[in-house]
Amino acid sequence: MIIVNVKDNESVDRALKRFKKKFERTGVLKELRSRTFFEKPSVAKRKQKERAAYKQKLFADQNY
């Protein structure tokens, strides 16, 4: 369960923003989307390798 304590003189928008950030870090929504349909393990591994290669390429481009 995610708990966000609202501080004194803090706007609701700010507290909501902190809640959304905490919620995204937990990965609940990402897991829910991945469970909506079955994906073969070979396809999942392929996607994971493609994502890793893309991130590595971006990181290499930024360092030059």
Side-chain angles (χ1 to χ4, degrees), residues 7-11:
K7 301 172 186 172
D8 293 338
N9 298 328
E10 183 181 25
S11 68

Side-chain angles (χ1 to χ4, degrees), residues 38-54:
F38 179 75
E39 187 176 49
K40 289 177 22 179
S42 61
V43 175
K45 286 178 189 176
R46 188 180 327 131
K47 280 186 180 180
Q48 187 178 12
K49 285 181 184 179
E50 288 173 356
R51 269 191 247 115
Y54 178 76

